[in-house]
Amino acid sequence: MASAKRWLIGFALLCLHGATEPKKNFKCPSGCSCSKETIVCVGTSQVPRSIPSEINSLSMVNGSIAEITGGMFSLMPSLQLLLLNGNSLTTIKDDAFSGLPHLEYLFIEGNKIETVTKNAFRGLRGVTHLSLANNKMRFLPRDLFSDLDSLLELDLRGNAFQCSCENKWLMTWLKNTNATVSDVFCAGPSDMKGKRLNDLPIPPGECISTDFVRHQSIAIQSMSADIFSFKEDIYVAMAAPNTNSCVVMEWDHIEMNFRKFDNITGKSVVGCKSVLIDSHVLIIVTQLFGGSHLYRFDEQQNKFTNFQTIEVFNISKPNDIEVFQMEGNWYFMIVDSSKAGMSTLYKWTDQPDRNETGFYSYQFLHEWFRDTDAEYVEVDGKSYLILASRSQSPVLYLWNKSTLKFILHSEISNVDDAVAVRAFRLEDELYLAMTCYIGDSKVLKWTNKQFTEVQALPSRGAMILQPFTFADRHYLALGSDYSFTQIYLWDSETKTFHKFKDIYVQSPRAFTAVTTDRRNFIFSPSFKGKSMVFEHVFVDLSL
């Protein structure tokens, strides 16, 4: 559909009635020429407020009209043709053409239109010919043409359409419409430039992204959040030193949030970690003062009760608890971050006849090194314990199957001031997320029987670099005391993490994944503010 064709339509209308004058009491606007049924204005800046009922064609061309507001033409119900070519329009707003029930031809060519709102053409059910050619439009809102029941021809040439998710709906509409539409070519992105929008394939799922939406804030300052399940219910144990307690919260399946379930009181509680062994539901509670304890859930009392006082003679400043099962036995390690203590490994023993049911010290590791975190991994058929430290490089201990002890194996070089370590697997490969308070945090990969750096993430003041996965999307959450939490998303093509988005948690200490009621969340304890729960949601970018 050529532009000349439309001008011929308008010209024919003008010529058909050009000799007849409009009503004598109607004054033709300045800069316009008027006949009985047509008004043509050239170079004007204003649209007439009203026109005689006989007028069915209005042309405002080569002027400086800058805006079409809702209902601007509502006093011109008889219009069948409206031509607004060559003006200075940048936006077409909702209901711009309301009150035009007989309009058939609408031409808005050669303007500077960048934005058309979703309901701009609402009510134009009689329009058969529409042209928005030669403007500056990059995207069009979904279902923009849904009211144009009679549309026969549409011209969108000469715009800068982006062939991206935002225009996915338009690609689909072009394939399905019965109207004749001019060829529309992509102006971007670069790999799509010059291709016909009508011809582009629409791979399923390509325009689906994700987001993290704040779901719940909890007025508890906490250093950790450990998720565990028992009898199909979800719980979280939070170490809250400011209130000298380990707070246990339960997921409410009706209210769809976490509520308080139990409160284990103590002295300067710095760690709460769950472990489920046979019929025992246990929580390990570490404290700066008063020793550390093991609490067991009592179903009759519906609360956790003190089950065992843990021997901590060589622990001065507990910093982390790592729980793992190896060769059928349960262990946990209390990581000591003082120069005067030793990180200690405990082993579960269940011998009621000898009055020995509980965790007992099994091995002392890494003396005088201010350990900050521990992580157990199994790789290549072997078991390792990784200890991070603020005073030296992280080290690996290897489980010796002969002595049944961990022995020093190697260190991870070029990692300084590590405050946390987390292991995770991607595409059958083992990785470490190493959090460094000073300098860059690291992503390392197990290659040739050692961990090698594959990516550095700027992370001044970082306290946690946490991996987690929902569906087929793999994330890293980098939490700092000095900035927003940065969420990174794994790119399977480059084999690296890319910045995805920011979320706000004040002084976060963990990001723990929770899946319940077919919904996915991350639970983030805050050391200085409210602990936060974010829901992981899918977003259709084409909407």
Side-chain angles (χ1 to χ4, degrees):
M1 180 176 65
S3 180
K5 179 181 178 181
R6 294 187 218 92
W7 274 103
L8 287 173
I9 294 171
F11 184 72
L13 289 170
L14 289 173
C15 292
L16 183 63
H17 303 286
T20 309
E21 295 293 327
K23 287 186 176 181
K24 292 183 179 180
N25 60 353
F26 172 68
K27 183 178 180 181
C28 190
S30 175
C32 303
S33 60
C34 304
S35 67
K36 182 180 179 181
E37 296 184 357
T38 67
I39 297 177
V40 178
C41 303
V42 180
T44 59
S45 61
Q46 292 183 338
V47 175
R49 286 191 173 186
S50 62
I51 58 175
S53 58
E54 297 86 1
I55 299 294
N56 58 34
S57 172
L58 174 63
S59 300
M60 312 284 296
V61 298
N62 299 334
S64 55
I65 299 172
E67 184 180 24
I68 302 176
T69 57
M72 178 176 282
F73 302 99
S74 60
L75 297 180
M76 309 177 191
S78 59
L79 281 185
Q80 297 175 27
L81 181 147
L82 178 59
L83 191 147
L84 300 169
N85 293 356
N87 284 281
S88 300
L89 297 171
T90 60
T91 304
I92 304 178
K93 297 182 178 179
D94 285 353
D95 301 309
F97 306 102
S98 63
L100 297 176
H102 304 295
L103 192 67
E104 298 179 24
Y105 300 89
L106 177 58
F107 306 127
I108 318 173
E109 299 180 357
N111 284 266
K112 303 173 183 178
I113 297 170
E114 296 180 358
T115 304
V116 181
T117 61
K118 182 176 181 178
N119 298 309
F121 302 128
R122 182 159 50 191
L124 297 183
R125 301 192 179 280
V127 167
T128 58
H129 294 72
L130 171 65
S131 177
L132 298 168
N134 301 318
N135 283 286
K136 296 183 177 181
M137 297 180 297
R138 301 174 73 243
F139 306 102
L140 290 177
R142 188 181 183 90
D143 299 329
L144 175 66
F145 307 122
S146 61
D147 269 16
L148 305 183
D149 297 340
S150 304
L151 189 64
L152 299 176
E153 294 192 25
L154 173 66
D155 195 347
L156 296 172
R157 292 175 299 174
N159 285 283
F161 287 115
Q162 299 297 299
C163 294
S164 57
C165 291
E166 290 85 346
N167 279 328
K168 176 184 173 182
W169 79 270
L170 182 58
M171 302 178 202
T172 304
W173 185 86
L174 289 171
K175 294 178 188 296
N176 298 324
T177 183
N178 292 323
T180 300
V181 185
S182 59
D183 286 341
V184 184
F185 294 95
C186 305
S190 57
D191 59 331
M192 296 286 186
K193 191 171 183 179
K195 296 182 179 180
R196 280 200 345 151
L197 194 68
N198 318 46
D199 296 338
L200 292 179
I202 308 171
E206 185 171 306
C207 291
I208 301 299
S209 184
T210 54
D211 199 1
F212 293 90
V213 180
R214 194 172 79 169
H215 177 76
Q216 182 183 3
S217 62
I218 301 169
I220 297 175
Q221 295 179 358
S222 174
M223 293 185 65
S224 64
D226 180 56
I227 303 292
F228 64 98
S229 60
F230 176 61
K231 291 187 176 179
E232 299 183 355
D233 283 317
I234 302 293
Y235 301 87
V236 57
M238 306 170 64
N242 288 352
T243 58
N244 296 313
S245 62
C246 174
V247 180
V248 181
M249 304 195 75
E250 177 187 22
W251 176 257
D252 188 321
H253 295 276
I254 297 176
E255 297 295 331
M256 292 295 178
N257 56 28
F258 284 97
R259 64 185 181 190
K260 282 191 177 180
F261 174 77
D262 197 3
N263 193 69
I264 303 172
T265 57
K267 296 180 180 179
S268 298
V269 174
V270 293
C272 298
K273 192 77 171 182
S274 65
V275 55
L276 279 67
I277 304 175
D278 299 327
S279 61
H280 302 287
V281 181
L282 307 168
I283 292 182
I284 306 157
V285 178
T286 55
Q287 305 179 134
L288 291 179
F289 309 103
S292 296
H293 303 272
L294 191 64
Y295 288 81
R296 184 175 64 178
F297 182 66
D298 187 320
E299 292 195 54
Q300 290 185 341
Q301 299 185 56
N302 198 36
K303 62 181 294 185
F304 285 90
T305 59
N306 199 334
F307 177 69
Q308 179 191 4
T309 298
I310 299 170
E311 175 264 302
V312 290
F313 298 121
N314 293 296
I315 294 175
S316 298
K317 190 178 180 182
N319 197 71
D320 179 60
I321 309 168
E322 175 70 2
V323 176
F324 57 95
Q325 189 178 24
M326 181 176 61
E327 297 179 350
N329 295 307
W330 281 98
Y331 300 84
F332 77 81
M333 166 166 275
I334 296 180
V335 177
D336 191 283
S337 60
S338 72
K339 287 185 177 181
M342 287 188 294
S343 295
T344 303
L345 181 68
Y346 297 83
K347 182 180 179 181
W348 174 258
T349 299
D350 190 6
Q351 296 181 349
D353 55 322
R354 299 176 57 182
N355 198 28
E356 290 184 0
T357 299
F359 280 100
Y360 298 91
S361 58
Y362 184 78
Q363 185 179 359
F364 304 107
L365 298 171
H366 220 211
E367 189 175 3
W368 319 120
F369 282 118
R370 297 179 61 202
D371 297 332
T372 53
D373 199 6
E375 186 79 344
Y376 173 79
V377 298
E378 293 181 354
V379 61
D380 296 337
K382 298 179 180 180
S383 301
Y384 295 89
L385 198 58
I386 305 166
L387 288 180
S389 171
R390 300 199 71 167
S391 61
Q392 71 162 26
S393 297
V395 295
L396 276 74
Y397 280 84
L398 173 65
W399 179 253
N400 187 309
K401 294 186 177 182
S402 297
T403 63
L404 300 181
K405 299 286 185 181
F406 281 101
I407 58 173
L408 186 62
H409 177 266
S410 60
E411 69 174 36
I412 301 174
S413 59
N414 301 318
V415 178
D416 299 318
D417 200 27
V419 295
V421 55
R422 297 290 186 271
F424 61 102
R425 288 190 176 272
L426 278 178
E427 301 171 1
D428 296 324
E429 302 284 356
L430 178 64
Y431 292 84
L432 291 183
M434 195 74 71
T435 313
C436 297
Y437 188 81
I438 299 174
D440 295 341
S441 292
K442 313 282 188 179
V443 179
L444 304 103
K445 180 181 177 182
W446 180 260
T447 307
N448 297 324
K449 299 183 179 180
Q450 64 179 356
F451 284 104
T452 304
E453 180 182 330
V454 293
Q455 187 175 1
L457 303 174
S459 58
R460 176 179 172 269
M463 294 300 293
I464 183 64
L465 180 62
Q466 181 82 51
F468 59 93
T469 297
F470 291 126
D472 59 346
R473 295 175 183 261
H474 309 284
Y475 301 95
L476 284 178
L478 180 62
S480 169
D481 283 358
Y482 301 109
S483 64
F484 281 80
T485 290
Q486 301 171 48
I487 304 292
Y488 289 84
L489 178 62
W490 175 255
D491 187 323
S492 58
E493 292 185 4
T494 64
K495 306 296 182 184
T496 56
F497 287 92
H498 293 266
K499 179 73 177 295
F500 179 62
K501 73 165 299 177
D502 292 338
I503 60 175
Y504 181 69
V505 183
Q506 186 178 1
S507 301
R509 290 297 181 266
F511 295 92
T512 306
V514 187
T515 297
T516 180
D517 294 319
R518 292 180 292 183
R519 298 167 69 179
N520 297 316
F521 303 91
I522 53 172
F523 195 111
S524 180
S526 168
F527 184 56
K528 296 181 180 179
K530 292 182 178 180
S531 296
M532 307 296 295
V533 181
F534 294 88
E535 183 172 7
H536 177 261
V537 297
F538 286 92
V539 179
D540 189 343
L541 298 179
S542 66
L543 297 179

